[in-house]
Amino acid sequence: MCIRDSAYSTLLVSRRRELHRVAASAIERIYVDRIPEFVEVLAQHYQTAGELERALDFLIRAADKAISNLALTTSLEFLNAADELAVTLEDATKRGEIAMRKAHVHLSASNFSAAADTFGDARTLWADTGSAEGEALALAFEAFAHYWGHQFEEAETLADRAAELAEASNEPMPDVELLANVFRSLVLLAVGRIEESRPFIDRAMALVPQVEDPMARGLVVFAGWHLAAWEARFDELVDYLREWRSTLESTGNSLFSLAALWLEAVPLAGRGDYQDALHLLEETLTLSDRVGDVYVRTRALNTIGWIYGDLGNPATAADWNRRSRDEAAAAGFPDPEVECNARLNLGDNLMAMGLLEDAEQEFRHVDVIVGDPRPEERNDIVRYSQHLHHSFGELLLARNETDAALDRANRCLAAAEEHGHLKNIVKARRLRGEVYMARGQLGQARNELDQARTIAAEVSNPPQLLSLIHI
């Protein structure tokens, strides 16, 4: 023990408290314009001084500072310490605020189960204080956490309950109403109920002028992107993201900052702006590594593979797709959506290298899931099942199994037309044209390929246009 520590230990508790109170006051007086630099120290001084309300305030500010620096583990440590003080102070309102902050940190870290549980804790705390708005807001975000965890029935039920609480209140709750509508729409989009989702997004958009919270506004952008992405109009998607990207980034949530990068990269790649897309994806991977994210990272890895495949470099593309597949499988995600998308892109690139048996293994794996999905496996299955049927059809055609190839093309086309997915309509009609050409049915082939060219030009997707030039 050093002399300073030995001397400190001989002080009476009351004297220690007074010294820490004086130190805290001095810091606030001398560094009045630099308080954010000292919030951690001030929290410690005030706690030791016995001024628990002041200590609680600075612990929360220290947590917010850590969140802004993407130090998520550190922020949780400060929030846990703050919650202990709030328990001592018997301050249920502060505990509700702290629980909401903790839950949002779990969301940023892609820990969706912990986020759902913690939003549930916040909901209980707000109910105990009699705050209907706090309870409804926690309920809405609990629905969002379940959406991310792909527990769609639970998410839909909670979002409905949040909307009911808001509608039954004597005071307007535009934030809650907006969030409940957004989360309802996201659940419906995830399971392929596209048209049902539109009214909820429209209602949320109408509420945006009444809502100042950047998180709520960012979620409307997120939902609107997913709806627009179904039609794969890449130019419109790029313009949409560039208009709203700052709104996503202003949420202060690292998951949203990552999503903003990836969501812009996807349509850029779709319309052929590959260098810009790769630059954004490199940023995505760097930020993902910094905050410990795997949810967006694994998607970015697969998107890079998709780009290299479009650029005619299937070997490099396959390496990126394998990384995505393997990291997604190891991450323990609640459903196989990322892994399945990576397997499908990997299969496409293996086919391009002439490795048909290896490609078939990837397609068969996804085919089992698409054929009999468990409830938690339905996320985005409507979209990637179309990819599966087209790619498997291409493989079957390469083996001259034209009946089976046409069946896959028809299944892709039916789903793509039902849900308005233009890119996959192009792919399905192109495959049908190729099958008819292989059979010598040239009139039918020409009709299918003409329709494919028309829609490909509308979508502005260079690979689809190039694939049709020489047919």
Side-chain angles (χ1 to χ4, degrees):
M1 179 182 292
C2 67
I3 295 174
R4 183 190 63 187
D5 291 342
S6 178
Y8 180 82
S9 67
T10 64
L11 293 174
L12 294 173
V13 172
S14 59
R15 180 58 178 157
R16 290 184 201 172
R17 287 182 172 177
E18 180 58 27
L19 288 173
H20 281 284
R21 186 179 296 107
V22 169
S25 297
I27 291 171
E28 289 197 86
R29 184 179 66 257
I30 296 169
Y31 301 107
V32 64
D33 296 325
R34 296 168 55 192
I35 295 300
E37 298 177 33
F38 299 96
V39 288
E40 302 90 346
V41 174
L42 287 166
Q44 181 181 3
H45 279 311
Y46 277 122
Q47 186 165 0
T48 308
E51 294 194 20
L52 301 189
E53 290 87 353
R54 297 283 285 152
L56 177 57
D57 175 61
F58 281 110
L59 281 171
I60 292 173
R61 292 172 67 177
D64 289 345
K65 176 181 171 182
I67 291 169
S68 68
N69 291 326
L70 303 180
L72 303 184
T73 301
T74 301
S75 70
L76 284 175
E77 292 171 356
F78 283 125
L79 289 170
N80 286 333
D83 189 51
E84 291 179 8
L85 284 189
V87 170
T88 300
L89 293 167
E90 298 182 350
D91 191 335
T93 299
K94 280 292 184 186
R95 291 200 67 205
E97 294 172 2
I98 292 164
M100 291 293 285
R101 279 179 165 82
K102 286 170 65 176
H104 280 295
V105 172
H106 288 309
L107 270 185
S108 293
S110 302
N111 190 345
F112 307 124
S113 176
D117 290 344
T118 311
F119 281 126
D121 294 340
R123 172 162 55 92
T124 301
L125 288 164
W126 289 124
D128 290 345
T129 66
S131 171
E133 184 170 9
E135 181 183 359
L137 195 61
L139 194 58
F141 274 110
E142 190 179 353
F144 188 45
H146 281 293
Y147 158 78
W148 280 112
H150 298 164
Q151 296 172 311
F152 299 121
E153 284 81 4
E154 182 68 12
E156 190 170 14
T157 298
L158 291 170
D160 288 344
R161 286 174 57 191
E164 289 167 4
L165 276 177
E167 291 165 5
S169 173
N170 293 325
E171 298 294 328
M173 297 184 190
D175 290 49
V176 176
E177 289 184 49
L178 181 148
L179 291 169
N181 281 297
V182 167
F183 300 153
R184 285 159 154 175
S185 72
L186 287 172
V187 168
L188 293 168
L189 286 167
V191 298
R193 292 157 59 187
I194 311 306
E195 291 306 315
E196 293 177 62
S197 73
R198 292 182 190 276
F200 293 115
I201 291 179
D202 290 343
R203 289 176 206 162
M205 283 289 188
L207 287 163
V208 167
Q210 302 177 46
V211 174
E212 296 182 2
D213 178 50
M215 171 70 80
R217 294 167 67 92
L219 283 164
V220 177
V221 177
F222 184 72
W225 184 95
H226 278 278
L227 179 59
W230 272 98
E231 296 180 342
R233 298 181 188 276
F234 297 118
D235 289 339
E236 293 176 21
L237 277 167
V238 170
D239 292 342
Y240 179 84
L241 250 295
R242 286 178 174 169
E243 178 183 356
W244 290 99
R245 181 176 169 185
S246 62
T247 300
L248 284 172
E249 292 174 337
S250 70
T251 64
N253 183 298
S254 62
L255 182 60
F256 274 66
S257 297
L258 284 165
L261 293 168
W262 180 71
L263 293 176
E264 186 174 343
V266 170
L268 282 171
R271 75 178 190 181
D273 292 340
Y274 296 120
Q275 283 303 120
D276 289 344
L278 286 170
H279 176 72
L280 287 173
L281 292 166
E282 288 168 5
E283 285 189 56
T284 305
L285 294 179
T286 299
L287 182 55
S288 291
D289 289 342
R290 182 180 171 191
V291 302
D293 161 80
V294 291
Y295 190 84
V296 179
R297 171 186 168 81
T298 50
R299 286 165 167 76
L301 293 172
N302 187 42
T303 306
I304 294 172
W306 166 40
I307 290 172
Y308 280 112
D310 278 0
L311 289 171
N313 190 342
T316 298
D319 288 341
W320 286 98
N321 297 143
R322 285 191 189 94
R323 287 177 63 185
S324 175
R325 177 198 65 185
D326 295 345
E327 289 190 24
F333 291 143
D335 76 74
E337 171 242 335
V338 180
E339 181 185 348
C340 285
N341 278 310
R343 285 182 179 276
L344 291 171
N345 285 333
L346 175 57
D348 290 340
N349 288 307
L350 292 169
M351 274 203 299
M353 291 188 283
L355 303 172
L356 299 189
E357 291 186 3
D358 292 343
E360 184 175 5
Q361 288 183 11
E362 302 299 331
F363 296 152
R364 291 285 182 196
H365 184 97
V366 180
D367 203 32
V368 170
I369 293 169
V370 169
D372 186 24
R374 298 192 299 269
E376 65 272 19
E377 293 176 337
R378 292 175 298 151
N379 181 48
D380 209 35
I381 200 168
V382 170
R383 196 193 322 249
Y384 71 72
S385 64
Q386 296 168 38
H387 185 170
L388 166 69
H389 293 316
H390 169 265
S391 294
F392 213 152
E394 290 279 9
L395 185 147
L396 293 165
L397 180 60
R399 292 176 173 167
N400 204 33
E401 299 179 32
T402 57
D403 288 347
L406 185 59
D407 176 65
R408 291 284 182 170
N410 289 339
R411 290 159 73 178
C412 176
L413 182 61
E417 288 186 332
E418 178 184 353
H419 297 290
H421 200 285
L422 300 182
K423 179 181 173 182
N424 286 334
I425 293 174
V426 174
K427 294 169 75 173
R429 289 205 174 276
R430 188 187 73 219
L431 177 56
R432 280 161 58 97
E434 291 170 340
V435 170
Y436 289 134
M437 286 182 66
R439 290 177 169 181
Q441 297 170 284
L442 300 185
Q444 290 171 278
R446 186 178 299 110
N447 178 57
E448 293 292 337
L449 295 172
D450 285 346
Q451 291 188 64
R453 288 187 184 96
T454 300
I455 300 170
E458 183 181 351
V459 173
S460 300
N461 180 238
Q464 298 301 323
L465 287 168
L466 288 171
S467 68
L468 289 159
I469 288 174
H470 301 297
I471 297 178

